Amino acid sequence: MTAIPTFTGDANPYGGGDPYADYRTADLPFTQYANLADRQLGAGVIAANDEFFAQRENLLVPEPAEFDPEHFGHKGKIMDGWETRRRRGASAEHPWPTAEDHDWALVRLGAPGVIRGIVVDTAHFRGNYPQAVSVEGTSVPGSPSPEELLSEDVKWTTLVPRTAVGGHAANGFAVSVEQSFTHLRVNQHPDGGIARLRVYGEVVPDPAWLTVLGTFDVVALENGGQVEDASNLFYSPATNTIQPGRSRKMDDGWETRRRRDQGNDWIRYRLVSESQIRAVEIDTAYLKGNSAGWASVSVRDGEDGEWTEILPRTRLQPDTNHRFVLPRPAVGTHARVDIFPDGGISRLRLFGSLTEEGAARLAARHQELGG
């Protein structure tokens, strides 16, 4: 585990104006990965030992935490995060919490995966954030209850050891455990509040499930696809294009800035494994005056393979789902969508199935990572 960077101590008390003006953050090297704790993927906070001031579900809200300095309720200041009550000691002689006292929340990841980095965001918690945090992970198949996860039979692996954090800051931790996890236990020592939790990593799908599906979306995030690179991320992340479901609003897709040259924009993907693609779907939902004008799709087999165009440059309509059945199956491990000249798409779907080699590689990786 590496903290990048370390923010410690209180932030200044809120003095008015923009509440994010003195927010402490940094460029974190792992945020190019997908957020495995995304509600859109199916993540949830399934239990917490205490949520007296603010409910645990706030941890996974996709938008940045909001702050209203005049918003109070019967229990006190209403915060946009997860906040527990102040811990106390056992007696007047020992009014302080012990070194072991802590609060916890159980998080179900939206998809099992290898975690590359974790952000414990204490935005707007200036004097009421935890002194330290720790994060553990486990892999339990099926849909375990909180009681099952907390039983002595479950083995937890430390991803972030107990580490001091700062208030009103994005506390980032790089994780280097090569193992697949399904659930996290987030601990705050001894008490306090956390605004948001982000868990960046790579999905590790269950080969048995994909085999049963037969034909599925081989680039979908939930099935193990990922974005490797993109030409432009000005308005929204390229990972949006492989999220589950249809886009719900304009910024739930991928949109580039306006080009003023003769080039074009693109996204490069890694498929779940070597696959045979038989159909393509390109959706421009909610992109009306800013959808891509044309698009093409190419695939390659292997890191050094040659790109082969499987969908030639095709006119796209705004706010429309376009479907294409390929004249012949295309085999590949990577895909690229090119849009012309700029604009955006909301979703890309590549329907097909694993090749025999692709299925073998995926099964080996799943076993290696303890999935």
Side-chain angles (χ1 to χ4, degrees):
M1 185 281 304
T2 305
I4 310 172
T6 300
F7 301 112
T8 55
D10 298 343
N12 292 325
Y14 176 63
D18 178 7
Y20 274 105
D22 60 340
Y23 176 68
R24 293 176 289 178
T25 186
D27 290 332
L28 300 169
F30 45 74
T31 54
Q32 77 271 21
Y33 295 101
N35 177 21
L36 302 182
D38 191 337
R39 285 284 303 173
Q40 197 170 351
L41 262 183
V45 187
I46 60 175
N49 72 307
D50 187 297
E51 46 187 329
F52 185 86
F53 286 114
Q55 60 192 18
R56 64 184 190 263
E57 288 85 357
N58 289 335
L59 283 172
L60 306 189
V61 171
E63 294 80 17
E66 297 181 352
F67 179 73
D68 182 349
E70 298 182 1
H71 196 190
F72 287 83
H74 293 294
K75 293 182 179 180
K77 181 74 184 71
I78 295 177
M79 296 294 289
D80 185 7
W82 168 49
E83 185 180 7
T84 65
R85 73 193 77 197
R86 298 186 189 220
R87 282 184 172 269
R88 296 293 185 244
S91 66
E93 290 73 27
H94 297 280
W96 311 279
T98 69
E100 292 74 31
D101 285 342
H102 67 277
D103 293 318
W104 53 263
L106 293 178
V107 177
R108 179 190 65 242
L109 299 180
V114 178
I115 297 168
R116 301 303 183 192
I118 296 174
V119 176
V120 177
D121 190 343
T122 58
H124 315 304
F125 289 93
R126 296 170 179 268
N128 51 347
Y129 60 94
Q131 181 186 44
V133 300
S134 61
V135 182
E136 302 159 279
T138 190
S139 183
V140 179
S143 304
S145 67
E147 293 74 21
E148 289 171 318
L149 289 170
L150 294 172
S151 73
E152 294 183 357
D153 297 332
V154 174
K155 177 185 177 183
W156 292 88
T157 300
T158 298
L159 305 179
V160 178
R162 183 170 176 168
T163 306
V165 294
H168 197 43
N171 299 276
F173 305 92
V175 178
S176 57
V177 180
E178 286 295 319
Q179 185 179 336
S180 180
F181 296 99
T182 61
H183 294 77
L184 300 185
R185 184 163 60 189
V186 180
N187 306 302
Q188 46 179 343
H189 308 265
D191 54 41
I194 298 170
R196 297 289 188 266
L197 176 74
R198 303 292 186 245
V199 182
Y200 297 98
E202 302 172 62
V203 173
V204 178
D206 182 354
W209 178 254
L210 297 183
T211 299
V212 168
L213 291 180
T215 296
F216 60 93
D217 182 1
V218 299
V219 76
L221 180 60
E222 61 188 319
N223 294 333
Q226 58 183 290
V227 169
E228 287 194 329
D229 200 4
S231 60
N232 188 276
L233 303 172
F234 190 84
Y235 286 112
S236 45
T239 303
N240 282 353
T241 61
I242 54 175
Q243 287 278 10
R246 294 199 73 200
S247 177
R248 299 163 298 175
K249 49 193 175 74
M250 190 177 75
D251 67 350
D252 192 20
W254 171 61
E255 182 189 357
T256 71
R257 66 186 305 161
R258 300 190 187 209
R259 276 189 171 267
R260 302 305 189 207
D261 59 22
Q262 299 300 305
N264 74 284
D265 289 312
W266 51 268
I267 306 174
R268 189 176 74 243
Y269 304 89
R270 178 187 293 275
L271 308 183
V272 54
S273 192
E274 185 182 71
S275 304
Q276 190 177 66
I277 302 166
R278 292 187 286 275
V280 175
E281 191 173 284
I282 301 175
D283 197 352
T284 58
Y286 292 98
L287 294 161
K288 298 183 177 182
N290 49 359
S291 67
W294 292 262
S296 65
V297 178
S298 304
V299 300
R300 76 179 184 198
D301 197 17
E303 295 288 346
D304 302 319
E306 295 290 329
W307 288 106
T308 301
E309 190 173 72
I310 62 171
L311 179 70
R313 192 179 306 187
T314 302
R315 188 75 168 95
L316 299 182
Q317 299 300 321
D319 195 27
T320 301
N321 194 23
H322 310 76
R323 289 176 172 173
F324 310 94
V325 175
L326 300 183
R328 64 190 63 83
V331 173
T333 57
H334 296 72
R336 190 184 73 225
V337 60
D338 287 87
I339 63 170
F340 302 87
D342 56 20
I345 61 173
S346 61
R347 295 290 188 270
L348 174 72
R349 306 295 187 206
L350 301 177
F351 294 103
S353 55
L354 296 174
T355 64
E356 187 175 335
E357 175 66 21
R361 291 178 191 171
L362 188 63
R365 175 168 168 77
H366 188 259
Q367 184 176 15
E368 177 188 352
L369 296 172

